Amino acid sequence: MRTVTKTAATVAALAVTGAAFYGAGAATAGNSTPKSDKEIPNITKVEEKINAYYGGAPDSTGAYQASSTSNYAKQVAAIEARAKRQIAHAAEHPGRDGRKPAIVLDVDDTTLLTYDYEKKNGFAYNATAFNAYVQSAQSIAVFGMPDLVNFAAKKGVTVFFLTGRDVSQRDASATNLTKAGYAVPVDSAHFFLKDKTNPPAYLSCGKPTWTCSTVDYKAGTRQHIESLGYRIVANLGDQYTDLAGGHADKTYKIPNPMYFLP
């Protein structure tokens, strides 16, 4: 489940132009009050840029699909190529501490593309609509990501998925990942979802009431994965909060100009 704080036009425009901020402190300038309308990107123009970036168009079923030849796909491919080289090197040169190599990946717009949902909902978040979309298990994979994930697994690297989706969306999310081409385990031992009602003991911010930020939740879960005897050689996510907090050798930011999650 996503809880989104969106200054939609501003954040999207910054992301499209590659000027996204890292971390809450750095984002201060982007949240300052405009002094005139000229400082505010036009939402229609921003959405046009996003659609052009993804090369989006409806398919025969009416679903909006990004293009595999779009600038988005090209940018993702370049990031994946760097990650693949690094993961291969890490798999072939394990450390002497006996820890097993692993990678951790976010779900929305890191492994599964939500462009169809975003386009149809005006790049805005609605919990009911998003849950229906998740339960449909119809997302396509982020271009090239199944190849990267399956390559890592064949190299002996354990794959973990770590998402902000609610635990109630586990079955549909796991089904979608498998349908999208991820030939790796998506059971509860390899797929972590947010459970605010019955949080795991390793998240101290989860009890007695849930106070975990996204960074608390994700970094705390990566720390738990490490405690199981793994070395996280790569952490991939589309939000900077997916990557902050340590507990990974390398991080890879997947482009996403559609929304911003603090």
Side-chain angles (χ1 to χ4, degrees):
M1 179 174 64
R2 297 187 313 194
T3 303
V4 182
T5 300
K6 263 191 174 182
T7 53
T10 303
V11 171
L14 290 170
V16 168
T17 58
F21 294 107
Y22 185 92
T28 303
N31 294 330
S32 60
T33 302
K35 294 181 179 179
S36 79
D37 64 305
K38 295 180 176 60
E39 298 178 34
I40 306 172
N42 181 278
I43 291 177
T44 300
K45 295 299 182 183
V46 170
E47 291 188 5
E48 288 174 356
K49 286 187 175 183
I50 292 173
N51 291 322
Y53 173 64
Y54 282 93
D59 63 17
S60 59
T61 69
Y64 280 86
Q65 303 294 7
S67 169
S68 60
T69 61
S70 64
N71 287 338
Y72 165 74
K74 293 173 184 176
Q75 188 176 359
V76 169
I79 296 166
E80 290 168 342
R82 294 197 301 273
K84 189 174 185 178
R85 289 192 297 269
Q86 185 252 327
I87 291 168
H89 184 271
E92 293 163 4
H93 300 84
R96 297 181 180 179
D97 56 8
R99 292 189 297 163
K100 297 167 286 187
I103 60 173
V104 174
L105 304 99
D106 174 56
V107 173
D108 291 312
D109 298 295
T110 299
T111 49
L112 297 177
L113 186 63
T114 71
Y115 174 71
D116 179 47
Y117 165 82
E118 296 293 342
K119 171 66 175 174
K120 289 177 177 176
N121 288 273
F123 301 97
Y125 179 70
N126 175 279
T128 300
F130 186 68
N131 182 62
Y133 171 76
V134 169
Q135 298 299 339
S136 73
Q138 295 299 313
S139 289
I140 65 170
V142 168
F143 297 119
M145 199 60 77
D147 291 338
L148 174 62
V149 167
N150 297 339
F151 167 83
K154 289 177 181 177
K155 285 285 187 180
V157 177
T158 302
V159 177
F160 293 96
F161 298 97
L162 172 56
T163 179
R165 290 185 178 189
D166 188 75
V167 68
S168 65
Q169 299 170 328
R170 174 184 294 281
D171 289 348
S173 300
T175 296
N176 201 158
L177 286 165
T178 300
K179 284 172 57 178
Y182 295 96
V184 295
V186 286
D187 56 6
S188 59
H190 298 87
F191 189 9
F192 296 89
L193 297 93
K194 190 177 290 184
D195 188 347
K196 293 184 177 181
T197 303
N198 296 293
Y202 58 78
L203 287 178
S204 59
C205 56
K207 293 183 178 181
T209 58
W210 182 275
T211 60
C212 300
S213 67
T214 300
V215 175
D216 292 336
Y217 162 60
K218 295 215 165 184
T221 304
R222 291 195 302 272
Q223 184 176 29
H224 168 68
I225 291 170
E226 288 180 330
S227 75
L228 300 176
Y230 292 96
R231 170 191 167 202
I232 299 173
V233 300
N235 177 28
L236 297 91
D238 66 293
Q239 302 292 319
Y240 289 112
T241 46
D242 295 331
L243 309 176
H247 303 289
D249 291 354
K250 291 280 290 184
T251 61
Y252 295 92
K253 172 69 170 63
I254 306 302
N256 179 5
M258 297 185 291
Y259 56 85
F260 169 77
L261 302 179

